[in-house]
Amino acid sequence: MISMKDKIVLITGASAGIGYDTAVVFAREGAKLILTARRDQILKKLAEKLTKQYNTESVCFPLDVRSQQEVEQKLNALPAAWKKIDVLVNNAGLSLGMNKLHEGELIDWEEMIDTNVKGLLYVSRTVIPWMVKRNKGHVINISSIAGHEVYPGGNVYCATKHAVDALTKGMQMDLVDTPVRVSSVDPGMVETEFSIVRFRGDKNRAKTVYQGLKPLTGEDVAEAILFCATRPPHVNVSQLRIVPKDQASAMVANRK
Ligand code: NDP
Ligand code: 8X3
């Protein structure tokens, strides 16, 4: 097993949900954290909490992954020691709306594609060369069950997660002759801010997504991410699908 003690872990979208809980879980294991998202006040509080709780060393700064310039500038401005990133968790992502495709909002499409696909690419394009140079590193992409299945109204979001799946496979091929590992963690329903964001702050509608079943928590997924990161160097968890016991597929769930 690889210990996370003093490993440098960069998490995108660390201000909420899966990313936030991944920060907590890796801090518990002794990692040093680079915490990024747009809401940096939450990141600051998280960093303070982790320092108190686990004596975690961390840096945090606002980062909108949609901006290629911002990604390149801010990551390149990291002190040299912090550029030795051992684990990159490409987690920042979102879904907006559930309209039929022909009734979709173009602005929502742009934001999903820019964040989930292009943002992941920008961060990866900056960080992976450092890993290749050091002959060390692990990229963990957060895709989804929506990267394998499509459901009504999921159109563009599902397309972005299918793209993440393709990018993971492409990275695995392109890095196969290096020690850098690439994993995909693909969850089903996780109760985070995800559905609140999707339904533009409508918490009641968001609740109905998980009605009658026990969804995953961000922590459940964070532990799965940690599992991937801590396998011995000759093992690569290429894809880890994790769903609630009550969920069989994107469309089939056991609701009481
Ligand atoms: P949350 O809404 O709770 O968290 C999303 C995170 O992404 C936030 O920290 C948010 O931070 C960040 N984010 C959004 N847009 C940007 C941006 N432009 N730049 C940087 N950060 C951004 O959702 P989850 O934790 O559930 O989602 C995390 C990932 O997991 C996503 O990729 C999602 O697609 C995936 N996923 C979620 C599932 C679920 O059911 N919840 C299931 C399968 C996959 P901020 O707003 O501060 O920028
Ligand atoms: C999030 C899970 O089923 O809402 O990726 O698309 S789902």
Side-chain angles (χ1 to χ4, degrees):
M1 246 179 72
I2 297 179
S3 162
M4 286 297 112
K5 179 94 184 84
D6 293 329
K7 296 288 186 306
I8 298 182
V9 180
L10 166 58
I11 304 168
T12 64
S15 61
I18 295 168
Y20 186 102
D21 288 333
T22 300
V24 175
V25 163
F26 277 80
R28 183 193 71 202
E29 299 300 312
K32 298 178 179 179
L33 303 176
I34 305 173
L35 304 171
T36 68
R38 292 166 301 178
R39 289 170 292 173
D40 66 319
Q41 290 307 315
I42 300 180
L43 299 179
K44 276 186 196 143
K45 283 197 185 132
L46 172 61
E48 282 165 18
K49 173 180 131 157
L50 296 178
T51 304
K52 267 196 202 136
Q53 207 170 340
Y54 301 113
N55 209 17
T56 306
E57 265 184 71
S58 57
V59 291
C60 62
F61 49 89
L63 183 70
D64 186 334
V65 296
R66 291 173 297 176
S67 165
Q68 191 268 332
Q69 206 187 12
E70 196 179 317
V71 167
E72 201 180 304
Q73 277 175 3
K74 289 189 174 173
L75 294 182
N76 275 306
L78 280 166
W82 284 93
K83 284 185 182 151
K84 295 179 178 172
I85 294 167
D86 295 290
V87 182
L88 162 62
V89 184
N90 272 321
N91 164 75
L94 81 174
S95 170
L96 293 167
M98 274 194 89
N99 293 342
K100 290 177 190 285
L101 187 101
H102 57 280
E103 294 165 349
E105 301 286 349
L106 267 67
I107 193 167
D108 292 347
W109 297 356
E110 306 286 2
E111 183 163 353
M112 286 187 277
I113 293 166
D114 288 351
T115 310
N116 302 359
V117 184
K118 292 166 75 179
L120 179 145
L121 278 169
Y122 298 152
V123 175
S124 302
R125 182 65 183 87
T126 304
V127 173
I128 294 175
W130 300 340
M131 292 180 167
V132 171
K133 213 168 177 183
R134 290 176 64 230
N135 269 316
K136 205 174 173 207
H138 194 161
V139 181
I140 303 179
N141 294 328
I142 310 305
S143 179
S144 168
I145 196 170
H148 306 279
E149 296 178 50
V150 181
Y151 50 85
N155 44 67
V156 175
Y157 176 69
C158 295
T160 66
K161 290 299 181 179
H162 276 67
V164 172
D165 185 53
L167 292 172
T168 299
K169 288 170 179 153
M171 288 177 189
Q172 285 166 348
M173 289 173 190
D174 294 342
L175 291 163
V176 73
D177 58 350
T178 78
V180 179
R181 300 190 290 182
V182 183
S183 302
S184 178
V185 172
D186 305 352
M189 280 183 260
V190 194
E191 193 164 12
T192 59
E193 292 180 9
F194 180 84
S195 292
I196 301 171
V197 170
R198 176 172 235 171
F199 300 126
R200 305 198 173 288
D202 184 342
K203 290 190 178 168
N204 290 331
R205 191 170 174 201
K207 271 273 164 214
T208 64
V209 174
Y210 314 105
Q211 213 157 21
L213 55 76
K214 190 170 165 53
L216 298 175
T217 62
E219 194 186 342
D220 293 326
V221 181
E223 294 288 359
I225 295 168
L226 178 70
F227 175 81
C228 296
T230 51
R231 290 316 86 204
H234 72 287
V235 177
N236 186 44
V237 181
S238 55
Q239 186 183 94
L240 191 158
R241 286 177 84 165
I242 176 169
V243 294
K245 171 62 190 80
D246 286 330
Q247 185 175 22
S249 74
M251 292 293 289
V252 179
N254 174 40
R255 295 183 196 269
K256 276 143 198 136

